């Protein structure tokens, strides 16, 4: 074997482990070595919060789809061995008494969960700068953010620590960091993957998502974690197809790709637009038909998301009260203890969301804000239903309006929220979406996004494999 272990696609590594030519322990050591190298020093990535050195101890399966494959997992997914801190002081050092279904499935497939990754506190943010444990950095330019909120997972894949990582999505937290770090990021259909053991932010939007170095790494990872779970009543019992079925490429004959005009506003960076046009040309050349389509309620997604998500968060985060989990700071009586614990335990962005959410749910404002937002959410979802009912199989759009920005450059919360303009729509509608690298702008990667109909991740992967093949390593690395 000539390639170093860390460079092997996950499917190839797993095949080696199954055949006995590589051990899971050697694969984990390679991941730890790379982790130490990129984490070290003042400009270290700070992508990793907790490490499990024992992760490669013989698991239940040396035979599974991910046999011996090291995986890192966002720190809001419950593991029994390492802490689950959600990037927050309020859960610093907290170890869950149970593990998430996705963790159980990864292990059953033979994966080694080697580390937990840095994130914006409670997954609220788009840069990983809101972590209580310091910002993570972008491995392609360490003065820049890796995106967020799953920035540590995206950075871990981009830095070559692992080929597969888990993140979570509420409004774009897998796709946007994937775009910033030049890797693949998938948000499955709402209900495709169990949320059991995913710490709740906004329960009607949250999904576990997957990062891969390549489309195939991501497809392999999703296939392992997808499927109904009796422990999550919002998970759905839909057959899980083989997402890797179209990995050998082939033509896109018969595939209809929609180009939604609202995702290509006049204000879009012309270099990002140019990369997207090149992708659409490549999809056409592969046999797809490209149609101009419209999703007319797109510009309402950010205002709706920033009402619905904080409203649900204000309710979900009420459980962190100093009694049941993590941090407790004494105060004057019970109320004083709540107040001291929550005001020390939560950072500024989480506090802002709780206040915002409490406001939009309070008597007198509920109808004006929360109910109205739910009504508009239904219109956004209907835009997608109609376009897919019209014969379009997948939509293609930019993932984010900009490449990775500099650490500290976005200090206005509203400006940060605008990072999610092209991604929050899929969460509001519950449809699957993914980002993959499509080119470079100013030496930084940018992502292109496919969005598909509910439970049709397979169509999205078919298009993504073909695009990855057409662009090749050189295409995805080309400047506009
Ligand atoms: N950036 C969005 C937010 O801050 C999305 C976060 C997410 O998807 N978890 O809410």
């Amino acid at each position: 074997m000539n390639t170093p272990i860390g460079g092997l696609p996950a499917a190839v590594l797993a095949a080696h482990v199954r055949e006995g030519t590589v051990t899971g322990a050697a694969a984990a050591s390679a991941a730890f070595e790379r982790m130490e190298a990129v984490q070290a020093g003042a400009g270290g990535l700070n992508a990793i919060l907790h490490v499990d050195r024992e992760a490669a101890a013989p698991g239940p399966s040396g035979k599974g789809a991910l046999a011996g494959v090291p995986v890192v997992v966002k720190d809001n997914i419950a593991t029994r061995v390492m802490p689950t801190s959600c990037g927050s002081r309020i859960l610093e050092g907290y170890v869950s008494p149970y593990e998430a279904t996705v963790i159980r499935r990864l292990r059953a497939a033979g994966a080694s969960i080697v580390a937990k990754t840095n994130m914006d506190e409670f997954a609220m943010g788009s840069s990983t700068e809101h972590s209580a444990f310091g910002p993570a950095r972008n491995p392609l330019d360490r003065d820049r953010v890796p995106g967020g909120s799953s920035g540590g997972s995206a950075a871990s894949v981009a830095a070559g620590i692992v080929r597969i990582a888990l993140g979570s999505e509420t409004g774009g937290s897998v796709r946007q960091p994937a775009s910033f770090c030049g890797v693949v990021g998938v948000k499955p259909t709402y209900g495709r993957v169990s949320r059991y053991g995913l710490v709740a932010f906004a329960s009607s939007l949250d999904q576990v998502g997957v990062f891969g170095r390549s489309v195939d790494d991501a497809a392999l990872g999703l296939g392992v974690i997808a499927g109904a779970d009796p422990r999550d009543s919002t998970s759905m019992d839909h057959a899980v197809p083989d997402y890797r079925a179209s990995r050998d490429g082939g033509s896109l004959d018969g595939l209809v790709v929609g180009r939604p005009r609202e995702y290509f506003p006049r204000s879009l960076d012309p270099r990002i637009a140019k990369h997207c046009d090149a992708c659409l040309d490549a999809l056409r050349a592969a046999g797809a038909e490209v149609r101009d389509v419209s999703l007319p309620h797109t510009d309402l997604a950010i205002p709706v998301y920033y009402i619905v998500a904080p409203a649900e968060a204000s309710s979900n985060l009420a459980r962190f009260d100093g009694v049941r989990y993590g941090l407790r700071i004494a105060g004057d009586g019970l109320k004083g203890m709540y107040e001291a614990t929550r005001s020390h335990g939560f950072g500024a962005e989480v506090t802002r969301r709780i206040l915002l959410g409490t406001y939009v749910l309070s008597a007198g404002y509920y109808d004006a804000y929360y109910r109205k937002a739910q009504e508009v959410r239904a219109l956004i979802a209907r835009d997608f239903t109609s376009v897919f009912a019209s014969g379009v199989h997948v939509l293609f759009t930019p993932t984010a309006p900009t490449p990775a920005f500099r650490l500290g450059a976005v200090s206005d919360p509203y400006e940060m929220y605008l990072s999610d303009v092209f991604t929050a729509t899929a969460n509001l509608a519950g449809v699957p979406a993914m980002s993959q690298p499509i080119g470079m702008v100013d030496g930084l990667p940018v992502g292109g996004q496919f969005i598909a109909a509910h439970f049709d991740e397979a169509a999205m992967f078919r298009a993504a494999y073909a695009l990855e093949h057409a662009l090749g390593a050189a295409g995805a690395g080309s400047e506009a």
Side-chain angles (χ1 to χ4, degrees):
M1 218 179 37
N2 300 318
T3 322
I5 296 177
L8 293 176
V12 174
L13 173 59
H16 275 292
V17 173
R18 286 191 298 264
E19 285 153 20
T21 41
V22 175
T23 64
S29 298
F32 290 131
E33 227 169 84
R34 184 71 190 140
M35 197 186 294
E36 269 148 37
V38 298
Q39 287 275 101
L45 293 185
N46 198 26
I48 305 291
L49 295 180
H50 325 291
V51 177
D52 178 13
R53 300 243 152 232
E54 262 39 323
S61 163
K63 302 239 169 300
L66 293 177
V69 175
V71 172
V72 299
V73 172
K74 191 176 183 178
D75 205 27
N76 59 349
I77 298 177
T79 48
R80 256 197 308 247
V81 183
M82 293 170 275
T84 298
S85 69
C86 295
S88 182
R89 289 272 169 237
I90 213 160
L91 284 176
E92 190 167 5
Y94 171 76
V95 180
S96 167
Y98 70 96
E99 63 186 10
T101 295
V102 291
I103 298 291
R104 248 187 327 107
R105 290 198 173 159
L106 286 176
R107 278 198 225 289
S112 312
I113 319 288
V114 295
K116 302 288 287 285
T117 58
N118 202 358
M119 57 183 282
D120 284 300
E121 185 175 6
F122 285 104
M124 297 172 190
S126 304
S127 67
T128 316
E129 293 170 293
H130 299 318
S131 167
F133 308 110
R137 293 170 183 272
N138 191 317
L140 288 91
D141 176 345
R142 295 190 176 206
D143 293 330
R144 291 180 188 264
V145 303
S149 62
S150 315
S153 288
S156 297
V157 174
I161 299 173
V162 288
R163 296 285 302 210
I164 297 177
L166 295 190
S168 71
E169 271 259 0
T170 303
S173 278
V174 167
R175 288 165 287 157
Q176 184 258 22
S179 173
F180 280 19
C181 290
V183 301
V184 176
V186 180
K187 182 205 86 81
T189 308
Y190 185 81
R192 179 54 103 180
V193 174
S194 171
R195 291 186 294 114
Y196 181 75
L198 169 67
V199 177
F201 161 7
S203 308
S204 75
L205 300 162
D206 299 342
Q207 269 295 286
V208 173
V210 187
F211 292 95
R213 183 72 187 224
S214 64
V215 173
D216 197 48
D217 292 328
L220 181 64
L222 181 62
V224 166
I225 63 168
D229 176 11
R231 291 188 162 113
D232 172 7
S233 61
T234 63
S235 72
M236 302 267 273
D237 197 5
H238 264 268
V240 178
D242 177 7
Y243 298 125
R244 302 184 64 225
S246 41
R247 66 181 175 279
D248 296 328
S251 95
L252 293 183
D253 280 350
L255 189 82
V256 180
V257 178
R259 178 191 180 279
R261 70 174 70 97
E262 293 79 7
Y263 287 70
F264 294 88
R266 237 184 268 282
S267 57
L268 182 65
D269 183 327
R271 296 165 303 173
I272 295 180
K274 201 171 152 206
H275 280 307
C276 288
D277 288 340
C279 291
L280 290 164
D281 286 343
L283 293 166
R284 262 188 222 101
E289 177 197 331
V290 176
R291 276 189 207 162
D292 281 315
V293 298
S294 173
L295 299 160
H297 298 93
T298 300
D299 64 339
L300 298 171
I302 291 296
V304 166
Y305 174 86
Y306 280 96
I307 291 173
V308 173
E312 294 185 22
S314 70
S315 162
N316 275 324
L317 270 57
R319 74 192 66 182
F320 303 106
D321 56 5
V323 177
R324 287 170 285 188
Y325 306 90
L327 185 74
R328 173 182 300 177
I329 293 177
D332 196 7
L334 182 63
K335 199 160 163 260
M337 187 278 287
Y338 287 157
E339 208 175 293
T341 302
R342 286 171 68 86
S343 39
H344 282 87
F346 290 136
E349 183 60 27
V350 173
T351 305
R352 178 179 298 120
R353 303 283 180 106
I354 293 172
L355 290 171
L356 214 57
T358 305
Y359 179 82
V360 300
L361 288 176
S362 51
Y365 296 105
Y366 182 94
D367 286 330
Y369 295 105
Y370 186 71
R371 185 190 306 279
K372 184 61 95 194
Q374 292 292 27
E375 286 166 4
V376 179
R377 179 180 183 176
L379 297 177
I380 292 169
R382 207 174 61 190
D383 283 353
F384 284 101
T385 318
S386 336
V387 83
F388 290 125
S390 77
V392 169
H393 300 108
V394 292
L395 298 164
F396 183 76
T397 80
T399 306
T402 64
F405 43 85
R406 284 183 196 286
L407 285 157
V410 179
S411 52
D412 174 15
Y414 184 66
E415 200 190 323
M416 189 73 87
Y417 298 169
L418 290 177
S419 281
D420 308 328
V421 278
F422 300 144
T423 49
T425 47
N427 303 76
L428 290 165
V431 294
M434 68 188 283
S435 178
Q436 70 192 100
I438 60 166
M440 307 290 275
V441 165
D442 290 336
L444 299 164
V446 294
Q449 170 172 244
F450 285 110
I451 307 174
H454 290 101
F455 294 98
D456 201 9
E457 286 86 357
M460 185 169 95
F461 276 113
R462 180 181 172 208
Y465 274 116
L467 181 61
E468 183 183 57
H469 180 78
L471 296 178
S478 74
E479 280 283 341

